[in-house]
Amino acid sequence: DKKMDETKKKKKKTAECCGYPISIFFIVVNEFCERFSYYGMRAVLVLYFRYFLLWDDDLATSIYHAFVALCYLTPILGAIIADSWLGKFKTIIYLSIVYAIGQVTMAVSTIHDITDANRDGTPDNFTFHIGSRYPKREHWMDWADEKYDKLLIAQIKMVLKVLFLYIPLPMFWMLFDQKGSRWTLQATTMSGDFGAFILQPDQVQTVNPILILTLVPIMDRLIFPLIQKCGLNFSPLKRMTVGMLFAAMAFVAAALVQIEIDKTLPNFPSSSESQLKVVNIYNKTLNVTISPNKYLLIYSFESSADYMTLDHQDITVSLNTNPVITKAFSLIKGGRQTLIIPSNPTLMYLSFPEGKKALYYLFCSFLKMGCEYYFILTLNPCLLESWCLTAVLLVSLLRRDFVLRHGEQWCEFSRKFGFGASYTFLIPSTVFSTDCESKTEVEDMKPNSVHMALQIPQYFLITTGEVMFSVTGLQFSYSQAPKKQAGWLCTNAVGNIIVLIVAELGKLPKQWAEYVLFASLLVAVSIIFSIMAYFYTYIDPAEIEAQIRKEQGLEPEEKEKETLEMEEKDEGQKNDQERNPPTNLSSCMNSQSPTPVNDVTD
């Protein structure tokens, strides 16, 4: 008893700050850094796949959700390591180091990409024979009570009961985690110009944590108490059902936004088609004939109105010059190309193909005729050789200043661009005498016209659903099952795996149709979940465990912990005595002296 009192006193002397143990703040800081690192990297991951590794949307989405699924499966491995090997604190420290090494490795491996400006880089049937000699069981798990502890069986029952309710839950995460993939890709086709600041596609995701910090206290302090005062039984499972419906509404909102975006997107060629635009920098108007039946009239220093779609790869181009110039070309299927007619028409050529990656980033092409110029953008000079397309620039700001220089001659101009646009500047030999006014601008691709602010409603709906579903779901899980269970994280992993499968096998022609499909699936699953929740009976795991311990004559859990701590302490003192035996006669006599009577009675 005396030792137990000493143990309790030591527990009370634990250093505290603001009513919490000091260790809590270390855990909070570690968790903040881990979440900041994870979500910061995840925010740009799909864009890295799409624009640096040049994967298509479906592959980028699949790999993204495969990664997220693995992230939410590995806590099971962490739980095994913590419970059976290292312990929870060492597991956190060691795996945080592994985490940091992985992030550093990934950051170092992308240095080349940062500097690479042109991006060329069924089960068996079981038969049970149960005779009258076996007693009747209330639950199938009760058949194990002859071999296993009743407390363990009761805990497994509670976990299985909760896991059964988890079956529909991955559908919520299937929608929720697409804000980092499909919704980010959707933002690349929108304008992020808010006037005072420019919002990048990956930065729109910050709306989610901001709304969480705002909605959690509002829900907890205002909405839920108000519903309770109205006499409505808004149980945790009902909250989760409503959260799923909010997520479904978020995807309906995303589908409506996507419909508006689709109205403004350029018509890209299919995998069996090619698209071609013609630019004339010859000093005369030309009639251009493209076999078999395309005829164009293009004035000097102008281009064809838009890209023409061709269903054949090999073409022949004829110009009405004297003599007539005819040349054959082979187009790239599934891509856009530009036919350049220079000051010497016999040297007409095809430029590189322009792909869908120009939907968000801005590309500027420069063509010139005459002598060589140096083109200067900030501190990066480019040589514009005679009549060649040599400067293709990725512009990340809406307004840029350009400088053309040749010897002592130079001129400069400024241009404000739109997100997702592609331009070609035609530079004549008279550019310096006109102070850059004689340049001609050709808009190859129109800028994005749908604003990113239209994504805010869908982020509000998905965040409201997250607060009702995720926060409530965690509370429900830990109140209805033993504390040591990681099944909740598995629902997130399974949800991302479902997205991976749908992205690879679905192949719907329109993105808005995929959003509607996901929303419809979640509505159907929420109806099934509400029926399952209706028949669920809430329990108190602590009360059940205490009752079983009492029936078995076991000590309460808190007292059992104190006993284990005392045994560990006694074992530690014994080990210290074995390592440091008494070195003199007096200490030896003191260690062997009889225990006083008053100590025994205590």
Side-chain angles (χ1 to χ4, degrees):
D1 292 339
K2 185 177 180 180
K3 290 181 178 180
M4 290 177 64
D5 292 337
E6 290 177 354
T7 304
K8 290 181 179 179
K9 288 179 181 179
K10 286 186 176 181
K11 282 186 176 181
K12 292 179 181 178
K13 292 180 181 179
T14 302
E16 294 184 353
C17 179
C18 301
Y20 294 98
I22 291 293
S23 58
I24 291 295
F25 295 93
F26 288 99
I27 295 174
V28 170
V29 170
N30 181 274
E31 179 67 9
F32 171 81
C33 294
E34 186 275 330
R35 292 288 89 183
F36 181 84
S37 173
Y38 171 68
Y39 284 111
M41 178 270 296
R42 204 177 85 164
V44 299
L45 188 60
V46 73
L47 298 181
Y48 177 75
F49 291 158
R50 183 65 184 88
Y51 296 113
F52 286 85
L53 300 184
L54 303 181
W55 296 348
D56 60 35
D57 288 359
D58 291 333
L59 180 58
T61 300
S62 299
I63 300 300
Y64 172 88
H65 288 284
F67 168 75
V68 176
L70 286 175
C71 286
Y72 284 96
L73 281 175
T74 48
I76 298 176
L77 178 61
I80 295 173
I81 294 173
D83 290 345
S84 60
W85 184 20
L86 296 177
K88 54 187 177 183
F89 296 114
K90 287 185 178 180
T91 301
I92 292 174
I93 293 172
Y94 295 160
L95 293 186
S96 293
I97 294 172
V98 174
Y99 203 135
I101 293 172
Q103 290 282 38
V104 170
T105 302
M106 185 179 63
V108 171
S109 68
T110 57
I111 291 176
H112 171 74
D113 293 311
I114 294 173
T115 58
D116 188 9
N118 60 359
R119 309 294 193 270
D120 46 12
T122 4
D124 297 329
N125 293 322
F126 294 95
T127 304
F128 293 93
H129 300 281
I130 304 175
S132 58
R133 61 194 179 98
Y134 295 103
K136 187 177 179 181
R137 309 294 194 194
E138 293 183 1
H139 193 278
W140 63 272
M141 286 291 296
D142 293 334
W143 289 95
D145 59 3
E146 295 178 1
K147 187 176 180 179
Y148 297 97
D149 183 65
K150 287 186 176 182
L151 180 59
L152 176 61
I153 295 173
Q155 290 175 336
I156 294 176
K157 284 182 183 179
M158 289 184 281
V159 172
L160 291 176
K161 190 176 180 180
V162 173
L163 289 179
F164 176 72
L165 277 177
Y166 282 178
I167 293 175
L169 302 191
M171 296 301 293
F172 174 85
W173 299 115
M174 180 183 70
L175 272 69
F176 178 79
D177 281 330
Q178 288 191 62
K179 64 182 177 62
S181 57
R182 291 300 195 193
W183 285 13
T184 302
L185 293 173
Q186 184 186 62
T188 63
T189 61
M190 306 175 76
S191 173
D193 185 7
F194 282 80
F197 59 93
I198 305 299
L199 198 65
Q200 302 297 328
D202 55 288
Q203 294 173 343
V204 187
Q205 298 180 49
T206 58
V207 175
N208 176 248
I210 293 172
L211 287 174
I212 287 177
L213 295 175
T214 306
L215 290 176
V216 167
I218 293 177
M219 292 287 188
D220 189 49
R221 300 292 182 180
L222 182 63
I223 305 299
F224 293 156
L226 186 63
I227 294 175
Q228 190 175 5
K229 285 185 178 181
C230 293
L232 299 176
N233 181 22
F234 202 38
S235 64
L237 294 178
K238 291 181 180 178
R239 295 182 191 178
M240 293 172 67
T241 304
V242 173
M244 295 167 77
L245 293 175
F246 267 101
M249 288 190 290
F251 265 65
V252 172
L256 295 176
V257 172
Q258 189 63 46
I259 290 173
E260 291 300 314
I261 292 173
D262 289 347
K263 295 177 181 178
T264 64
L265 291 181
N267 183 27
F268 287 105
S270 66
S271 58
S272 61
E273 297 176 331
S274 301
Q275 287 187 339
L276 182 68
K277 173 179 273 192
V278 181
V279 175
N280 179 20
I281 55 176
Y282 184 50
N283 57 8
K284 294 182 179 179
T285 301
L286 293 173
N287 287 314
V288 181
T289 303
I290 302 175
S291 63
N293 54 1
K294 298 288 184 180
Y295 305 96
L296 301 172
L297 177 64
I298 306 177
Y299 294 98
S300 178
F301 267 77
E302 290 190 9
S303 70
S304 55
D306 202 354
Y307 284 90
M308 65 186 77
T309 302
L310 305 172
D311 55 4
H312 46 278
Q313 187 176 5
D314 297 322
I315 62 171
T316 301
V317 179
S318 299
L319 307 179
N320 65 329
T321 54
N322 190 15
V324 174
I325 299 173
T326 302
K327 198 170 185 179
F329 296 96
S330 182
L331 303 176
I332 296 176
K333 289 186 177 181
R336 286 183 158 189
Q337 292 181 271
T338 302
L339 176 64
I340 309 297
I341 304 175
S343 55
N344 183 355
T346 60
L347 300 176
M348 60 180 167
Y349 64 97
L350 286 174
S351 73
F352 63 93
E354 298 178 10
K356 295 183 180 180
K357 63 181 181 179
L359 281 177
Y360 178 72
Y361 298 108
L362 168 70
F363 286 84
C364 296
S365 304
F366 288 81
L367 296 172
K368 64 167 288 300
M369 56 180 293
C371 59
E372 298 178 350
Y373 302 144
Y374 279 99
F375 165 76
I376 299 176
L377 169 64
T378 61
L379 299 178
N380 300 321
C382 298
L383 179 64
L384 288 177
E385 297 178 356
S386 181
W387 56 261
C388 290
L389 173 63
T390 58
V392 180
L393 306 168
L394 175 63
V395 183
S396 58
L397 301 176
L398 288 183
R399 179 174 290 279
R400 295 303 293 262
D401 297 325
F402 301 91
V403 178
L404 293 173
R405 187 183 302 277
H406 176 64
E408 298 297 324
Q409 294 180 302
W410 65 277
C411 67
E412 62 180 343
F413 65 96
S414 179
R415 177 67 164 84
K416 183 176 181 180
F417 302 104
F419 281 103
S422 179
Y423 301 90
T424 298
F425 290 92
L426 309 180
I427 305 174
S429 56
T430 58
V431 65
F432 296 123
S433 61
T434 60
D435 196 21
C436 285
E437 294 294 331
S438 60
K439 71 181 187 311
T440 303
E441 175 186 313
V442 177
E443 187 179 64
D444 300 319
M445 192 179 298
K446 294 183 180 297
N448 303 337
S449 58
V450 180
H451 204 275
M452 284 186 193
L454 290 180
Q455 281 195 320
I456 294 177
Q458 65 199 58
Y459 272 96
F460 175 81
L461 291 170
I462 200 75
T463 306
T464 304
E466 181 188 10
V467 172
M468 287 190 169
F469 180 87
S470 182
V471 177
T472 306
L474 283 170
Q475 294 173 348
F476 171 81
S477 298
Y478 285 99
S479 67
Q480 296 296 298
K483 295 179 180 178
K484 293 181 180 180
Q485 53 95 11
W488 178 261
L489 298 178
C490 291
T491 63
N492 200 315
V494 175
N496 281 274
I497 292 172
I498 296 174
V499 179
L500 189 156
I501 295 171
V502 173
E504 287 298 311
L505 301 180
K507 303 295 184 183
L508 295 176
K510 296 292 184 179
Q511 185 58 52
W512 65 264
E514 184 178 290
Y515 290 149
V516 173
L517 172 63
F518 282 127
S520 303
L521 289 173
L522 188 56
V523 170
V525 167
S526 64
I527 295 173
I528 296 173
F529 181 74
S530 63
I531 296 173
M532 296 169 64
Y534 178 80
F535 292 100
Y536 182 83
T537 304
Y538 290 86
I539 61 173
D540 186 350
E543 183 179 344
I544 295 174
E545 291 176 358
Q547 183 179 355
I548 294 175
R549 288 177 179 274
K550 186 177 180 181
E551 291 175 355
Q552 295 180 337
L554 300 175
E555 294 179 342
E557 189 175 7
E558 293 182 0
K559 193 171 182 180
E560 185 180 349
K561 286 182 179 179
E562 291 178 356
T563 304
L564 289 173
E565 290 175 358
M566 288 172 57
E567 290 176 354
E568 290 175 359
K569 182 181 177 183
D570 291 341
E571 187 177 352
Q573 291 177 349
K574 184 178 179 181
N575 291 335
D576 291 339
Q577 290 177 0
E578 291 176 354
R579 293 172 186 170
N580 305 305
T583 57
N584 55 55
L585 182 61
S586 60
S587 63
C588 182
M589 292 176 63
N590 289 334
S591 65
Q592 295 177 358
S593 61
T595 305
V597 176
N598 58 345
D599 286 345
V600 175
T601 55
D602 287 341

